[in-house]
Amino acid sequence: MITTPTQALVDQLAATVSQHCGPMRVGRAYQHAWELERDLVVACVASLPRVLEARSSWACWIADEAHRIEGPSTRLVSRKLQSQVAVGFTATPFRADDRGLQTWDRVVYAYTSHDAVRDGVLVPFRVVRAEAADDVDDLTERWVQQAQGPGIVSALTVDDAEALASRLGALAIHGRQSQAERQRRINALRSGAVPCLVHVQLLTEGVDLPWLKWLVLRRPVKSPVRLVQEVGRVLRCAPGKTEAVLYDPHDLLGHIGLVHATTLEDVQRGTAESEGRDVDGMGRGWELSNATPVHPLAGWATDLLGALRAANIADPAEARWSGEAGWRYRPVSAKQAHTLERCLWATQYLKWSHSRTVRELARTRALRAGTASELLDVMFALVRHRRKVESELLPTVPRRSNRRGAQR
């Protein structure tokens, strides 16, 4: 059985799996279909209680969008599911409350976006932020006019989406429309009949539209899980697509400070408190400690340090840390915490939103040794770079001799 959180994904996954396994072997279990007699069943998470009443034992359980199994009621139901093997897939291995996933025991495989870009699965992205305190709708209109190719814009409500779509010469897409109508509007976008679609939380998770080239994050998002999922809609590779553009009027990426590739890498490298203990002795999986949350801001700190290193501002990573995982997730030491607090004045050299993010992360109770080390490297690099710039800008003035001092 494959579980997935939405009805649209049930049909999408069933169609994809049918191409490989044959349509007669694949069934669906949700509001509009009940085919539990098939060899492989794609079920909606909302229908899981009813599914398990009819059939509780399965050879294998695959959870698509595994982070959506973390709700208390869903976890209670999933515990009743009996299977020989259970595996979950997700691009966001953390929860909105900054805690790690509780349903799963260990990470057995991680595929970062760096790997995906290298393999041609994802495209690199470029972030465009607001330069001034412009009206968000005016800014959105200008960005849509200059954007190349099909894109999407997020809205607050259905009425808001309809009004904004009318202003942009676009189409709104939301849950009040039928599935056929929504598909018609998606086809209109792909054909170039409209410049974009304005959606209300409809094109944020699990939707496979790889030909999308840009998005406007007009709707403020507080949840890092939702932000990563929404950004992921435009990162997938497609013929002729070389990059994705993220228009970020609220600087959400700066405020929330999350890059999903780094988060996945951190989970793979350092999820265990037990010195990174190898589960099977072959390097194929690390124990996943539920007591060790993956803080979403930790990924942002790693990427900030990486950007400074790429610009030759920060020193390269120390070789002695390569390949080690356990040290990163040890509790921050008293010396690190004291030094970091003393160095926070250097955040004045950062953009205000980034400065606030660094301070928030430095003072969080979930701070770990690896993240503290990276924040210290960031602070030291900023100070050194600032002093270098100032020394290059200051004019060289010959020193006047003091006759009295010279006589003395």
Side-chain angles (χ1 to χ4, degrees), residues 155-163 172 174-176 200:
L156 302 174
T157 64
V158 172
D159 292 340
D160 178 49
E162 294 285 0
H174 46 75
R176 294 181 185 175
V200 187

Side-chain angles (χ1 to χ4, degrees), residues 309-374:
R309 284 172 174 164
N312 295 321
I313 295 175
D315 294 331
E318 298 183 49
R320 62 194 177 98
W321 295 126
S322 61
E324 297 183 11
W327 76 274
R328 291 183 57 85
Y329 281 79
R330 295 172 186 162
V332 60
S333 67
K335 182 177 180 180
Q336 279 182 311
H338 177 69
T339 306
L340 189 56
E341 187 66 30
R342 290 183 58 190
C343 293
L344 284 179
W345 63 270
T347 58
Q348 64 181 301
Y349 302 135
L350 288 171
K351 191 177 177 181
W352 177 81
S353 59
H354 295 174
S355 172
R356 187 181 70 173
T357 302
V358 170
R359 290 176 176 274
E360 178 183 343
L361 178 57
R363 291 166 176 167
T364 181
R365 294 182 179 179
L367 185 65
R368 297 285 166 175
T371 304
S373 176
E374 290 173 343

Side-chain angles (χ1 to χ4, degrees), residues 191-355:
S191 67
V194 292
C196 64
L197 292 180
V198 183
H199 73 99
V200 187
Q201 301 189 56
L202 197 63
L203 305 178
T204 59
E205 184 178 63
V207 182
D208 187 22
L209 305 174
W211 39 268
L212 289 174
K213 294 187 175 181
W214 56 269
L215 66 81
V216 179
L217 295 165
R218 177 176 168 272
R219 177 180 180 270
V221 180
K222 294 183 179 180
S223 167
V225 177
R226 290 186 178 181
L227 176 61
V228 170
Q229 291 289 340
E230 187 169 355
V231 167
R233 295 317 97 206
V234 298
L235 297 185
R236 300 185 183 187
C237 191
K241 182 177 174 181
T242 58
E243 70 169 1
V245 183
L246 313 179
Y247 295 100
D248 190 6
H250 305 290
D251 196 18
L252 297 177
L253 296 174
H255 290 319
I256 297 181
L258 177 65
V259 177
H260 57 291
T262 304
T263 304
L264 279 173
E265 284 189 279
D266 283 349
V267 171
Q268 182 188 29
R269 290 181 299 167
T271 49
E273 294 265 359
S274 56
E275 300 292 329
R277 186 174 73 83
D278 199 352
V279 172
D280 55 11
M282 301 181 65
R284 293 181 298 193
W286 295 93
E287 258 194 358
L288 184 59
S289 170
N290 291 336
T292 306
V294 179
H295 198 288
L297 294 183
W300 181 86
T302 303
D303 271 22
L304 176 58
L305 179 58
L308 294 179
R309 284 172 174 164
N312 295 321
I313 295 175
D315 294 331
E318 298 183 49
R320 62 194 177 98
W321 295 126
S322 61
E324 297 183 11
W327 76 274
R328 291 183 57 85
Y329 281 79
R330 295 172 186 162
V332 60
S333 67
K335 182 177 180 180
Q336 279 182 311
H338 177 69
T339 306
L340 189 56
E341 187 66 30
R342 290 183 58 190
C343 293
L344 284 179
W345 63 270
T347 58
Q348 64 181 301
Y349 302 135
L350 288 171
K351 191 177 177 181
W352 177 81
S353 59
H354 295 174
S355 172

